Amino acid sequence: MPPAPLLSRRPLSGSRPHGFLRVLAAAILPLALAACNGGGDGDDDQTDAPPAAVAPPPATETPPAAETPPRNTAYLEAKPGDVIRVRIEELRPTQAAIGYDQIYYKLGRWQGDFERPTWAADPVLQLDYLNRTVGKKFDDYCEDMGGTERAQAFQSIAQARAARLDQPDSFTCKDAPGTHAANLKTVVVGWDGNLYLTDGHHTFSSLREIFDGGPKLPVWVKVDANYSSLASAAEFWQRMVDERRTWLRDGQNQPITVDQLPARLGLASAEEPGGMQEDRYRSLVYFTRDIAYSNGDLPEFAEFLWGDWLRRQAAAGRLPRLDEYLTAAPAATAQILAPSTLGKDLLPAGANDSYAAAVRDAALKMGALADGDIVYGDRDAAGLGRIALEPNAASGSPTKKARDTLEELPRHDVKADGSPRGAGKLWFAVNYRSCGKPAAGACWGW
């Protein structure tokens, strides 16, 4: 909120007009003369009543001016297009919620089990598995920091064990971080000099949650705008709203004020104040990526716009509500991960109540839109990356790739011949939500 206007200063009550001073002097003058025996006849004056004491005027306090919050001076001179290195804890959210299952997918995949017995007898396959899991963490980090990918895959299990995000000397990106600015997440310098994140809430929340990341992990971002010249928080947030740089809805898609935005990135937890809420429809939209929409050059908060549209479809009875599907405990993991697919004719097949079924049904609704159909406000389906699903599409077509992506979502990470493979996003997310990081035992299945 903007600071209260400074109160105008008025003279203290002790500052009196000259007429009052003359009256006061006249009252004091006889006393001064008496002290010098110039006002009476000797001792007789001592019997006169003493003059009334003149009380000092009451002091009038001037209320202190409202304090302006201290400004962060580190980024006041940053210009649009600048690439800067910051800590995750310096980034302020401009949305209240994230898709937790998207974070769980990352945390599940990035933490391969070094003690996993599946390939303990075959170091070559074990290393392949670790490059697909632990190695993916460094590939993602390098890409998101504008460094392309790792310079090379792990050459040994010992090298994989030694690599840590918080120890930059333990791994190398193909290019220096910040080299490819187009890959960087974006920030706005606020009226208070702080950095407000407009893209990358899921990326940086995942890095904040991983064991070798955290709030002090260095990351690179690109400055999209500098609004530090604005006079107040109210002006700043109005500008952000007008330019669609903030999403002021909570995890249930209810409107909020800027004062209700979280203080930090990352999952909400009992151990640490702050954190971001869970939006289950935001997770759902993430899993429809490359099935119902392409994650190309999309506007900010595009996935939330799709999520809002899906909620409205469910409310109108045109799509089952998300809570009608089995997406989490107490449903069994096998039920949650039951495959749901689309045939060549785009007719649904497989389970109808699993997490994959929720993704499939949402994707069919999204893909059935025409290019010009409005999804949210003035945003149409084409502008939000919709993939047009077509029956009997040829191999290599967007529709065939979409069908393959849907089929892979709940897939586990061992091929029929026993070698490792890339598991599906849902498989990692569902298992991590239930079990935590991959480890030997019944929960993850090895």
Side-chain angles (χ1 to χ4, degrees), residues 318-400:
R318 293 188 286 267
L319 181 71
R321 299 187 311 276
L322 189 53
D323 58 13
E324 295 181 48
Y325 298 92
L326 305 175
T327 62
T333 300
Q335 293 175 299
I336 299 170
L337 291 175
S340 300
T341 59
L342 287 171
K344 289 190 64 176
D345 52 7
L346 297 186
L347 291 178
N352 289 317
D353 60 355
S354 66
Y355 208 148
V359 175
R360 179 196 65 196
D361 295 348
L364 279 172
K365 279 291 181 184
M366 295 162 71
L369 291 172
D371 282 349
D373 286 343
I374 294 299
V375 174
Y376 185 96
D378 59 354
R379 303 291 193 186
D380 60 27
L384 294 178
R386 178 200 60 108
I387 296 173
L389 298 178
E390 301 173 351
N392 303 310
S395 178
S397 66
T399 297
K400 180 59 169 67

Side-chain angles (χ1 to χ4, degrees), residues 226-437:
N226 188 328
Y227 295 148
S228 60
S229 62
L230 296 178
S232 67
E235 288 185 56
F236 168 67
W237 284 111
Q238 189 60 57
R239 184 91 173 251
M240 295 288 281
V241 169
D242 292 344
E243 296 180 355
R244 302 179 182 181
R245 296 181 189 269
T246 183
W247 180 252
L248 295 179
R249 290 182 178 269
D250 64 14
Q252 302 301 317
N253 203 42
Q254 296 303 304
I256 61 171
T257 66
V258 295
D259 294 330
Q260 294 172 287
L261 287 170
R264 64 170 179 84
L265 297 168
L267 308 179
S269 70
E271 293 76 25
E272 183 182 6
M276 307 186 72
Q277 301 174 29
E278 178 175 16
D279 185 330
R280 295 174 62 218
Y281 275 87
R282 176 60 180 77
S283 292
L284 177 64
V285 172
Y286 172 68
F287 293 122
T288 68
R289 183 180 295 180
D290 299 324
I291 303 172
Y293 77 101
S294 297
N295 188 37
D297 187 20
L298 298 181
E300 306 289 6
F301 311 108
E303 290 88 350
F304 284 105
L305 307 187
W306 278 119
D308 178 90
W309 184 83
L310 289 172
R311 279 183 162 99
R312 284 185 276 118
Q313 300 306 300
R318 293 188 286 267
L319 181 71
R321 299 187 311 276
L322 189 53
D323 58 13
E324 295 181 48
Y325 298 92
L326 305 175
T327 62
T333 300
Q335 293 175 299
I336 299 170
L337 291 175
S340 300
T341 59
L342 287 171
K344 289 190 64 176
D345 52 7
L346 297 186
L347 291 178
N352 289 317
D353 60 355
S354 66
Y355 208 148
V359 175
R360 179 196 65 196
D361 295 348
L364 279 172
K365 279 291 181 184
M366 295 162 71
L369 291 172
D371 282 349
D373 286 343
I374 294 299
V375 174
Y376 185 96
D378 59 354
R379 303 291 193 186
D380 60 27
L384 294 178
R386 178 200 60 108
I387 296 173
L389 298 178
E390 301 173 351
N392 303 310
S395 178
S397 66
T399 297
K400 180 59 169 67
K401 292 178 181 177
R403 291 172 50 220
D404 290 345
T405 300
L406 173 64
E407 185 174 348
E408 292 168 1
L409 280 178
R411 186 177 70 179
H412 60 72
D413 66 346
V414 182
K415 294 181 182 178
D417 63 3
S419 60
R421 67 179 176 185
K425 293 178 179 178
L426 272 180
W427 185 81
F428 279 114
V430 169
N431 277 288
Y432 188 88
R433 182 186 279 271
S434 299
C435 307
K437 69 178 184 179

